[in-house]
Amino acid sequence: MPLAKRIIPCLDVDNGRVVKGVNFVGIRDAGDPVEVAKRYNQQGADEITLLDITATSDKRDTLLHVVEEVASEVFIPLTVGGGVRELQDVHNLLNAGADKISVNSTAVFNPDFIKQASRHFGSQCIVVAIDAKQTQFLARGDKQDRWEIFTHGGRKATGIDAIAWAVKMADYGAGEILLTSMDGDGTKRGYDLKLTKAVSDAVLIPIIASGGVGNLDHLVDGVKLGGADAVLAASIFHFGEYSIQQAKQVMRDAGIEIRL
Amino acid sequence: MQIAVIDLGVGNLTSVKQALTAVAPDCDVVVTSDERVIDSADRVVMPGQGAVGTWFAALHDRKLESVVRSSLANKPMLGICIGMQALFDHCQEDGGIDGLGLFSGSVRHFSHFHSAKDSATKKSNQERLKIPQMGWNQVVHSQDHALWHGIKDQSHFYFVHSFCANISVDADSSMVYGEANYGHDFIAAVGRDNVFAVQFHPEKSHDDGLKLLKNFTQWSG
């Protein structure tokens, strides 16, 4: 009985509302994160991720209220990310009912933040989100695949190698890595399996594959070929194309251990 | 009825409180580090996350060891995660910590059980077990217990941990109520008299977790 692979629907939240569109039959308010999270919970999601993409930091309290409401109705793990800059942000989100906090840009600007946060709150609740794009460091004459990490929602290049970064973050105390392929994101062509496999092989902590899912076979590939411990997707679930149950059935049929 | 959730200032207790409130809306669920409140509560939940050394340091700082020990002796008590590990004799974490000693045995890092075997068989990284164990694993009911009522044997529960109590070496099997496997069999639930403790997080384990918490709120101990 190995540990089940997890299926994680992801909600992008802007100023307290789910964006990128959610279209469930029978849901009264498709923009309400609580309604959407409840629906995924009923469908058997293994975990829910909320990523706050609100541009202005004065709207942080809105997110805390959303987290509080979701956590009072949905009793599965809840990961929350977006705009986490200080230990106090982590503390506030955990107190509001988040179980894991995802940190992206802040980890890049201040890697010690991950050390401090994992020491203070425990590695189990610190997720490092990595946005990576395939690149060729031509100057070095490399022939092998390489990926560079980006911040600010994929807009700013950092020059940092994604694999080396994942290893460093694991050493610094991250409990999990949420790995998004910027090349794949939104394309529906599937995860970047080489990237996922390379990171999964490089670290001992769990990896969540993200970015590019267009059909349920992509989830299977993420686990079987990418070596991911969990697979994250947004739009294929939001628009009712596929339910979480369908995803789980396809994965089980492919021989993957899952929680039905 | 009042349920005290012991607050040591480490980890997220909101989920525990909200889950208990959801299953027992008539109960007064109090998250507290006040010795008197814990002492007068009808039931006590002892959660824990992170490192067991930090947990014990906080227990001592807040001078709560004696009320925890008296609660363990006389009222329905539920330990969760670190709150279960702390009940054993000894934990290997943080250089070695003496536990509360309610259960014989020690708590060790997963790598203690895995590394020798893995290197011997040269497992690829994909087969290598990730640490922490983070996710849903099946729990086998080793024995019946009031807290298992209405929960199917081998149901999935949510685990997040790097240390575990081992079965074959350490445990007195009469205290083991649940087992799970992650590279090797480990203790998922232990119990004795009025105490039940689980390695997984019932507050994060969907319907089966809520059922276990509901059973606890109705258990006479």
Side-chain angles (χ1 to χ4, degrees):
Chain A
M1 292 173 298
L3 188 66
K5 301 297 179 183
R6 288 168 279 153
I7 297 185
I8 308 176
C10 177
L11 311 182
D12 284 344
V13 176
D14 184 4
N15 199 12
R17 305 283 295 173
V18 180
V19 292
K20 275 195 186 173
V22 175
N23 180 24
F24 284 134
V25 179
I27 203 166
R28 212 176 318 129
D29 177 358
D32 177 0
V34 182
E35 292 270 318
V36 176
K38 276 165 72 176
R39 176 58 60 96
Y40 286 133
N41 181 50
Q42 284 161 11
Q43 288 186 0
D46 295 310
E47 198 167 312
I48 287 173
T49 293
L50 284 180
L51 291 182
D52 186 35
I53 58 168
T54 309
T56 48
S57 52
D58 59 332
K59 299 280 171 60
R60 289 288 158 223
D61 285 351
T62 312
L63 179 71
L64 289 177
H65 292 310
V66 168
V67 172
E68 266 168 24
E69 273 191 75
V70 171
S72 67
E73 304 235 21
V74 171
F75 297 101
I76 56 175
L78 177 63
T79 300
V80 181
V84 173
R85 289 184 187 85
E86 296 166 19
L87 291 178
Q88 189 63 42
D89 297 331
V90 178
H91 177 87
N92 292 346
L93 287 167
L94 291 174
N95 265 4
D99 298 285
K100 300 188 253 185
I101 307 304
S102 172
V103 185
N104 190 336
S105 300
T106 300
V108 177
F109 302 134
N110 176 17
D112 278 341
F113 180 79
I114 298 303
K115 269 189 188 168
Q116 293 160 8
S118 61
R119 200 179 302 132
H120 197 83
F121 301 103
S123 287
Q124 82 288 338
C125 65
I126 303 300
V127 180
V128 171
I130 299 178
D131 292 341
K133 253 184 218 180
Q134 185 154 26
T135 179
Q136 290 160 329
F137 290 90
L138 289 173
R140 293 196 214 151
D142 283 337
K143 292 261 163 57
Q144 67 186 108
D145 293 306
R146 286 189 176 270
W147 296 266
E148 181 180 355
I149 62 167
F150 283 68
T151 59
H152 296 86
R155 294 190 305 275
K156 282 195 185 167
T158 63
I160 300 171
D161 177 72
I163 313 297
W165 180 244
V167 170
K168 181 171 174 175
M169 288 295 95
D171 285 347
Y172 275 35
E176 190 166 52
I177 285 173
L178 167 54
L179 179 65
T180 301
S181 158
M182 303 305 299
D183 302 306
D185 209 20
T187 63
K188 294 189 171 276
R189 288 191 307 227
Y191 300 119
D192 183 335
L193 297 172
K194 281 186 181 172
L195 167 68
T196 310
K197 184 77 172 77
V199 174
S200 184
D201 280 352
V203 298
L204 249 186
I205 57 176
I207 305 295
I208 303 166
S210 158
V213 174
N215 62 53
L216 300 181
D217 291 334
H218 290 152
L219 303 179
V220 172
D221 292 344
V223 172
K224 288 201 139 182
L225 304 176
D229 302 281
V231 286
L232 180 143
S235 53
I236 61 161
F237 296 132
H238 289 345
F239 295 106
E241 268 174 271
Y242 303 102
S243 68
I244 304 280
Q245 292 103 317
Q246 284 173 311
K248 288 194 157 185
Q249 198 56 54
V250 167
M251 288 175 78
R252 172 161 281 194
D253 291 347
I256 296 170
E257 180 75 20
I258 51 115
R259 175 183 75 104
L260 275 186
Chain B
M1 186 182 67
Q2 190 170 66
I3 304 175
V5 178
I6 299 177
D7 178 12
L8 297 180
V10 285
N12 160 20
L13 303 180
T14 311
S15 303
V16 177
K17 180 184 160 91
Q18 284 172 324
L20 285 165
T21 305
V23 298
D26 299 334
C27 289
D28 178 20
V29 182
V30 192
V31 176
T32 182
S33 54
D34 185 329
E35 185 181 6
R36 288 161 303 178
V37 175
I38 298 167
D39 194 46
S40 68
D42 302 291
R43 288 161 204 279
V44 175
V45 177
M46 190 165 81
Q49 289 179 335
V52 75
T54 313
W55 191 92
F56 270 105
L59 185 75
H60 296 139
D61 276 356
R62 296 177 184 217
K63 302 186 171 48
L64 292 178
E65 182 170 343
S66 69
V67 73
V68 163
R69 286 190 183 279
S70 67
S71 302
L72 286 168
N74 67 25
K75 66 180 83 167
M77 188 139 171
L78 177 66
I80 298 174
C81 195
I82 299 293
M84 179 197 97
Q85 296 181 358
L87 298 174
F88 283 80
D89 283 333
H90 186 262
C91 305
Q92 195 194 42
E93 192 162 352
D94 291 342
I97 303 274
D98 283 334
L100 293 166
L102 189 72
F103 300 113
S104 63
S106 65
V107 176
R108 297 191 179 94
H109 197 259
F110 271 122
S111 62
H112 177 84
F113 304 101
H114 298 163
S115 53
K117 207 169 60 185
D118 286 0
S119 56
T121 56
K122 290 195 174 115
K123 281 192 176 178
S124 78
N125 283 357
Q126 182 157 359
E127 294 168 286
R128 219 173 40 172
L129 290 165
K130 301 292 182 85
I131 300 174
Q133 163 167 240
M134 187 181 287
W136 299 79
N137 206 336
Q138 285 177 289
V139 174
V140 175
H141 297 177
S142 321
Q143 308 178 52
D144 198 15
H145 192 281
L147 267 66
W148 289 144
H149 287 174
I151 298 170
K152 278 192 195 146
D153 191 17
Q154 301 183 38
S155 294
H156 282 90
F157 288 90
Y158 187 76
F159 290 82
V160 184
H161 60 131
S162 301
F163 287 76
C164 65
N166 182 250
I167 290 178
S168 53
V169 183
D170 300 325
D172 168 6
S173 62
S174 69
M175 68 174 189
V176 178
Y177 284 89
E179 297 162 53
N181 184 287
Y182 192 60
H184 72 288
D185 291 339
F186 68 90
I187 296 174
V190 282
R192 195 167 108 183
D193 305 326
N194 54 306
V195 178
F196 196 79
V198 292
Q199 177 62 68
F200 52 82
H201 289 272
E203 76 281 11
K204 286 288 146 187
S205 296
H206 204 238
D207 292 346
D208 288 323
L210 293 178
K211 179 66 182 158
L212 188 143
L213 292 175
K214 173 111 181 147
N215 290 341
F216 173 70
T217 65
Q218 297 171 342
W219 182 41
S220 52

